[in-house]
Amino acid sequence: MPNHKYRIMNIVGARPNLVKMAPLIRAMRRIPDLDPVLVHTGQHYDYLMSQVFFEQLGMSAPDYNLEVGSGSQHEQTAAILQRFGELVRQDRPEMVVVVGDVNSTIACSLVAAKERIPLAHVEAGLRSGDRTMPEEINRLLTDAISDLLFTTEESGNVNLAREGVPAEKVFFVGNIMIDSLVHSMDAARESALLAKLELPRRGYGVLTLHRPANVDDADKLRAVLAAMVDIAGELPVLFPVHPRTQVRIASAGIEGMHSWDGERAIQENGVWMMGPAPYLDFLGIVDGAAFVITDSGGIQEESTFMGVPCLTFRDNTERPATIQHGTNRLVGTDPAALILHAKEVLREAGSGQNSVHAIPPLWDGHAAERIVEILHDSLQSGAARSCGAGL
Ligand code: UD1
């Protein structure tokens, strides 16, 4: 079949998926007999959560948009199952590629597995051990039904082996999110947001919070933000607010933080709320920060790569390499402990103490090439196998 092109459906749904998918699609486009198709489930749909990422990552518009929008996670998952199921029945790809651990990841994986289409999971094997997180359920189930599992760090290989995934399905390829970061860092340092804020390098902190466990309960949210206001007595803290958190802050009536007007330089300490930051702006502000406080997964990895101290406001992490090798500290979910840790980081920085850190193995900007080579080989040998079977 000399002119045959292998059709691969690549799934994105939520903001971090876009960052992971961009380098993969670029690498697929460089191989002439691959035909990558981009499917957006529409789980994230606001300009600042989706479209601006396409623009800044240089991605072309999705070939299909399932437009599932908001709803409970069950409604979201059900709508994706139904709509992606219909799409796959009409336009049968030879492979489905999913990334990360969001509701779109598991929903599309389930369709692929039941339609008997080879399924590849990028960022496989991460485990927090905490089944109260929707993402943990999504990770466990996606890995259980994937044919090719691409891991980002050593813990992923260990977890998959423990769960009985055959070693020949698992490929340790490194971290694709770091591919995007490496690709974007020069542009990020030119960020318009960074320029407007006029904050000195290492003279401010960055905060992100969006996990249901931290933001959905008004009292817990109030307590962590009160701790942040305390920490921000020492330096300005930039807080790009996720839509989920925006709604919770408004309904809990939380005060004591400033809203940045989008224009003026910041000259006062305190917590400065702003809308969700576009990708390049976000990387730009993290790169110059004294610390990041977060409950996100990806930011633990990005800060490790950039060498910026990260305090993770959670009781567990599915990304232990960021602690073993990198700059991440797991501070738990006690606001008092968060204050102590943040002040310690500032003291260390003030006394010129730099904690020793390294970049985890294979976080080198080339994960996408490694993944695409393996996908290509697998498609070719799968095609060879099915030709053989027909003889
Ligand atoms: C999802 C992922 C999480 C990921 C995060 C990154 C799951 C289970 N969770 O969480 O792993 O870290 O994305 O952002 O998939 N909303 C908007 N505009 C948007 C998108 C969402 O207003 O563009 C609102 C939704 O209506 C909803 C809330 O934000 O009320 C949460 O969105 P949802 O997609 O359910 O989950 P996230 O909390 O974003």
Side-chain angles (χ1 to χ4, degrees), residues 299-341:
I299 297 168
Q300 298 171 47
E301 300 182 333
E302 290 165 337
S303 54
T304 270
F305 188 84
M306 293 191 249
V308 172
C310 178
L311 300 178
T312 297
F313 190 69
R314 284 174 46 187
D315 292 321
N316 49 59
T317 177
E318 61 288 333
R319 293 161 158 91
T322 58
I323 296 176
Q324 280 152 19
H325 301 281
T327 55
N328 191 15
R329 301 181 203 189
L330 201 55
V331 302
T333 50
D334 172 8
L338 178 63
I339 297 176
L340 290 178
H341 279 280

Side-chain angles (χ1 to χ4, degrees), residues 222-256:
R222 205 170 275 117
V224 62
L225 291 177
M228 285 310 308
V229 169
D230 180 324
I231 295 163
E234 302 210 9
L235 78 179
V237 172
L238 307 178
F239 182 18
V241 189
H242 186 283
R244 169 188 285 278
T245 314
Q246 247 160 29
V247 173
R248 305 292 185 234
I249 289 175
S251 65
I254 296 172
E255 288 167 8

Side-chain angles (χ1 to χ4, degrees), residues 14-16 43-46 49 70-71 73 76 101-104 134-135 138 210-212 242-244:
R15 182 169 65 173
Q43 179 178 344
H44 285 178
Y45 46 83
D46 285 346
M49 296 297 284
S70 286
Q73 57 163 335
Q76 239 174 19
D101 56 14
V102 303
N103 293 330
S104 302
E135 293 84 355
N138 296 343
H210 76 280
R211 294 262 160 241
H242 186 283
R244 169 188 285 278

Side-chain angles (χ1 to χ4, degrees), residues 382-391:
R385 257 202 316 278
S386 55
C387 289
L391 287 175

Side-chain angles (χ1 to χ4, degrees), residues 164-302:
V165 178
E168 59 273 19
K169 289 181 164 187
V170 179
F171 301 89
F172 179 32
V173 290
N175 193 332
I176 199 160
M177 200 164 207
I178 302 302
D179 288 19
S180 268
L181 196 160
V182 168
H183 189 80
S184 309
M185 213 49 231
D186 287 346
R189 293 206 175 97
E190 304 294 313
S191 145
L193 174 62
L194 198 58
K196 273 187 191 170
L197 294 167
E198 291 182 31
L199 287 165
R201 204 170 159 76
R202 308 282 174 244
Y204 63 93
V206 172
L207 167 68
T208 82
L209 275 183
H210 76 280
R211 294 262 160 241
N214 289 331
V215 305
D216 284 3
D217 179 293
D219 289 334
K220 280 193 192 164
L221 183 59
R222 205 170 275 117
V224 62
L225 291 177
M228 285 310 308
V229 169
D230 180 324
I231 295 163
E234 302 210 9
L235 78 179
V237 172
L238 307 178
F239 182 18
V241 189
H242 186 283
R244 169 188 285 278
T245 314
Q246 247 160 29
V247 173
R248 305 292 185 234
I249 289 175
S251 65
I254 296 172
E255 288 167 8
M257 298 183 289
H258 308 287
S259 289
W260 184 53
D261 69 358
E263 289 305 326
R264 268 178 314 132
I266 288 183
Q267 283 159 342
E268 246 181 89
N269 292 351
V271 176
W272 290 88
M273 293 191 287
M274 53 184 70
Y279 181 59
L280 296 176
D281 289 319
F282 189 73
L283 289 185
I285 59 174
V286 171
D287 179 56
F291 62 72
V292 184
I293 294 176
T294 191
D295 60 4
S296 144
I299 297 168
Q300 298 171 47
E301 300 182 333
E302 290 165 337

Side-chain angles (χ1 to χ4, degrees), residues 362-380:
L362 297 182
W363 291 22
D364 59 1
H366 298 289
E369 292 149 42
R370 290 190 278 269
I371 293 169
V372 170
E373 199 185 320
I374 296 163
L375 292 180
H376 189 216
D377 286 352
S378 162
L379 283 163
Q380 284 181 320

